[in-house]
Amino acid sequence: MKTINPATGKVIKEYSEMSFEEVSGIIYRANIAQKQWKERSFTNRSVNLNKISELLKKNKDRLGKLMSTEMGKPFSESIGEIEKCAWVCEYYAENAEEFLADDTVETDASKSYVTFNPLGTVLSIMPWNFPFWQLFRFAAPALMAGNAVILSHSENVTGCALEIEKIIHGSGISADLFRTILVQNENMKPIVQHDGIAAVTLTGSTKAGKIVASQAGEALKKTVLELGGSDPSVILADADIKQAAESCVNSRLLNSGQSCIAAKRFVVVEEVYDEFVSEFKKLMETKKVGDPFDEATDIGPMAREDLRDGLHVQVQKSIEVGAECTLGGEKPGAVGSFYPVTILENVTKGMPAYDEELFGPVASIIKVQDEAEAVKVANDSVYGLGASIYSSDVEKAEKIAAEQLEAGCCFVNDFVKSDPRLPFGGIKQSGYGRELGLYGIREFVNTKTVYVM
């Protein structure tokens, strides 16, 4: 196993994969530690979570540098990611006890209520695009609920995975309660099905989600899946075009375009199509691709060369069947897995740019006649993670977001983002279950009915 700097193509470090016997021992010890951890009060656990937050903030420059080196995101975004992880730890340290308080239900019994108990040891299989955030948004509530956590991270961010482990252990949490394991994806099935694993959460591609869900299903284990997305941004005729264009560009290029909730399909009513595209393109042209440690850089390299090459194939195939490339679209010959800011117009059904998730700095723009067609096209996807809608008629846009758009997260006049206070997750091929907020912490607990006659 090795990590490679995507900006230079050079190997950073190589690691030895753990054997199943090693991992089995880790899981065994995690279950012992979990039994002790679950007996501690919420107040006691919150001390550790707040300490994790302090350590993250104290070490954010060092951790951010490692993140940018391993997966290429601009350094300023890496710093922001670490700060957000600190926030989610503080949020659950403060709110977990209230979220998991017994829920009294009036029945014929003298007393009846619902209580929430931890499940045990939860396996988390995490992706490379937000190496710290993806883990902490699951681990903070899971730990506060009384569970143990085993992390299997993407091979290309192994350094980040090991640093996460050090930070958590530095808070005073038992070294056995949270462990990082080094195992390649093709060898994960016996770990997913291990008797010591109570549940599994995966953030990643839809393909990976189906594999893990199938493996976990064979062993009747609870799963939460946060998978791919091809999020639409709907631009109605009465939208503030400049504001909408700026928001859409920010969404499309966040994390160098490598975000499951990034806006990817821009569905624009023809009345304002030309105006929106003009403003959108003008902003996209100002974005600089380059060294993630250069303060002037907006977009770093893609995390791996194979991902960059796969994206380029999707762009070329879309052009071959009629899409018009009006910006970018040419794969650089320089060292590093860089890809230019790209705009595809005349995008229609049947093209990769319409049907598939484009994980990189590529925008697909789709012209529609009116509001009704805009909603229809927005929903015309196998994915259902996030969606946004832009309109000066906020009441109308809110109604469309709440009642018509098929997604787990719908935003009005802003781009989709995760927030510790709000549940996050998708429908259709974007997965199931929720992270964050009240609903996130209740995923990995036994929701138990207690009835006293």
Side-chain angles (χ1 to χ4, degrees), residues 52-71 73 75 77-79 81-83 85-86 131-132 136 159-168 293:
I52 292 171
S53 176
E54 291 174 16
L55 290 171
L56 286 168
K57 288 185 281 191
K58 180 180 178 180
N59 292 279
K60 65 182 180 181
D61 287 344
R62 179 177 63 82
L63 300 174
K65 181 178 180 182
L66 174 62
M67 199 188 319
S68 292
T69 301
E70 284 198 325
M71 60 75 56
K73 72 174 65 191
F75 181 60
E77 292 188 19
S78 293
I79 296 296
E81 181 171 336
I82 298 297
E83 292 172 340
C85 292
F132 280 74
F136 275 101
C160 290
L162 294 172
E163 285 297 327
I164 288 170
E165 183 181 76
K166 289 178 184 177
I167 289 289
I168 290 177
F293 293 101

Side-chain angles (χ1 to χ4, degrees), residues 134-206:
Q134 307 279 25
L135 181 278
F136 275 101
R137 75 182 187 192
F138 149 72
L143 289 169
M144 280 301 299
N147 296 296
V149 172
I150 302 292
L151 167 62
S152 177
H153 223 321
S154 293
E155 181 177 343
N156 60 319
V157 290
T158 300
C160 290
L162 294 172
E163 285 297 327
I164 288 170
E165 183 181 76
K166 289 178 184 177
I167 289 289
I168 290 177
H169 293 171
S171 75
I173 280 178
S174 164
D176 292 325
L177 190 73
F178 181 99
R179 284 297 306 272
T180 290
I181 58 173
L182 306 183
V183 180
Q184 295 186 7
N185 291 335
E186 58 267 28
N187 298 323
M188 285 299 295
K189 182 175 181 178
I191 299 168
V192 169
Q193 297 184 338
H194 194 289
D195 287 343
I197 296 296
V200 184
T201 182
L202 176 141
T203 298
S205 69
T206 299

Side-chain angles (χ1 to χ4, degrees), residues 66 71 88 117 130 144 158 177 210 283 297 324 330 343 346 394 411 424:
L66 174 62
M71 60 75 56
V88 78
N117 303 150
F130 292 94
M144 280 301 299
T158 300
L177 190 73
K210 290 179 178 179
L283 292 170
T297 294
E324 180 185 359
E330 294 294 328
I343 295 176
N346 298 328
V394 175
F411 281 49
F424 179 86

Side-chain angles (χ1 to χ4, degrees), residues 289-290 301-302 305 308-309 312 328-342 361:
V289 178
M302 293 186 62
E305 188 174 316
R308 187 273 308 274
D309 293 346
H312 186 59
E330 294 294 328
K331 188 168 71 172
V335 173
S337 53
F338 295 95
Y339 200 76
V341 174
T342 298

Side-chain angles (χ1 to χ4, degrees), residues 13-183:
K13 192 171 182 178
E14 296 192 29
Y15 303 85
S16 296
E17 184 173 9
M18 292 177 175
S19 67
F20 175 73
E21 288 71 26
E22 287 179 275
V23 174
S24 189
I26 288 170
I27 295 170
Y28 173 78
R29 291 187 294 275
N31 276 277
I32 294 173
Q34 189 271 331
K35 287 178 173 59
Q36 298 170 340
W37 175 250
K38 73 176 184 179
E39 296 303 322
R40 294 172 60 177
S41 67
F42 285 105
T43 300
N44 196 302
R45 291 178 209 154
S46 71
V47 171
N48 296 99
L49 268 289
N50 282 321
K51 180 62 176 177
I52 292 171
S53 176
E54 291 174 16
L55 290 171
L56 286 168
K57 288 185 281 191
K58 180 180 178 180
N59 292 279
K60 65 182 180 181
D61 287 344
R62 179 177 63 82
L63 300 174
K65 181 178 180 182
L66 174 62
M67 199 188 319
S68 292
T69 301
E70 284 198 325
M71 60 75 56
K73 72 174 65 191
F75 181 60
S76 61
E77 292 188 19
S78 293
I79 296 296
E81 181 171 336
I82 298 297
E83 292 172 340
K84 192 171 184 179
C85 292
W87 177 23
V88 78
C89 290
E90 294 167 357
Y91 177 76
Y92 279 107
E94 181 180 352
N95 293 288
E97 184 171 12
E98 178 184 347
F99 288 161
L100 297 180
D102 292 349
D103 185 8
T104 300
V105 180
E106 295 297 330
T107 67
D108 295 336
S110 61
K111 181 193 293 185
S112 52
Y113 59 96
V114 179
T115 192
F116 305 96
N117 303 150
L119 291 182
T121 298
V122 184
L123 173 64
S124 56
I125 303 172
M126 293 294 156
W128 46 263
N129 58 333
F130 292 94
F132 280 74
W133 173 243
Q134 307 279 25
L135 181 278
F136 275 101
R137 75 182 187 192
F138 149 72
L143 289 169
M144 280 301 299
N147 296 296
V149 172
I150 302 292
L151 167 62
S152 177
H153 223 321
S154 293
E155 181 177 343
N156 60 319
V157 290
T158 300
C160 290
L162 294 172
E163 285 297 327
I164 288 170
E165 183 181 76
K166 289 178 184 177
I167 289 289
I168 290 177
H169 293 171
S171 75
I173 280 178
S174 164
D176 292 325
L177 190 73
F178 181 99
R179 284 297 306 272
T180 290
I181 58 173
L182 306 183
V183 180

